Amino acid sequence: MFAIVRTGGKQYRVAAGDKIVVEKLEGEAGASITLGDILLAGEGSELKSVEGLTVSAEIIAQAKADKVIVFKKRRRHNYRRKNGHRQQHTILRITAIGGEAAAPAAQA
């Protein structure tokens, strides 16, 4: 089963067992959270109702993205500004969609 969830102004397609990186959410590593803004859900090509459906996830880590350098310059005006930014994000493991529990991955 899969679901489309919205968090942090972005949309993610998730299934049980997936790991996703989202905008920073409150909570410590190991805590469980519930994502309630479900846009679409289904299994295969069949869509299901999203009424009362929730996605459960576990916070793996709170981390920062790679540094982005912002450099501004105006020619011939002795104007240079260098600034850096590291966006904070949260790494989630999807444990269940609705009442469905994540099945352990089979070793091949």
Side-chain angles (χ1 to χ4, degrees), residues 43-93:
E43 191 152 0
S45 62
E46 180 183 328
L47 298 180
K48 298 190 176 196
S49 173
V50 297
E51 293 299 318
L53 191 67
T54 59
V55 173
S56 300
E58 175 189 358
I59 297 176
I60 296 174
Q62 300 284 6
K64 286 186 175 183
D66 293 335
K67 182 175 271 196
V68 176
I69 302 296
V70 179
F71 185 73
K72 299 178 183 181
K73 179 180 179 178
R74 294 199 181 132
R75 297 190 316 169
R76 298 182 297 273
H77 288 280
N78 195 25
Y79 175 85
R80 290 182 292 276
R81 300 290 183 266
K82 184 177 178 183
N83 206 344
H85 176 74
R86 291 186 73 185
Q87 185 69 33
Q88 296 191 14
H89 58 246
T90 302
I91 303 170
L92 298 176
R93 178 183 296 118

Side-chain angles (χ1 to χ4, degrees), residues 14-57:
V14 297
D18 286 354
K19 290 182 184 176
I20 59 172
V21 177
V22 300
E23 296 292 321
K24 183 167 172 63
L25 298 172
E26 293 300 318
E28 297 294 320
S32 294
I33 62 169
T34 302
L35 303 172
D37 196 2
I38 312 297
L39 304 174
L40 184 82
E43 191 152 0
S45 62
E46 180 183 328
L47 298 180
K48 298 190 176 196
S49 173
V50 297
E51 293 299 318
L53 191 67
T54 59
V55 173
S56 300

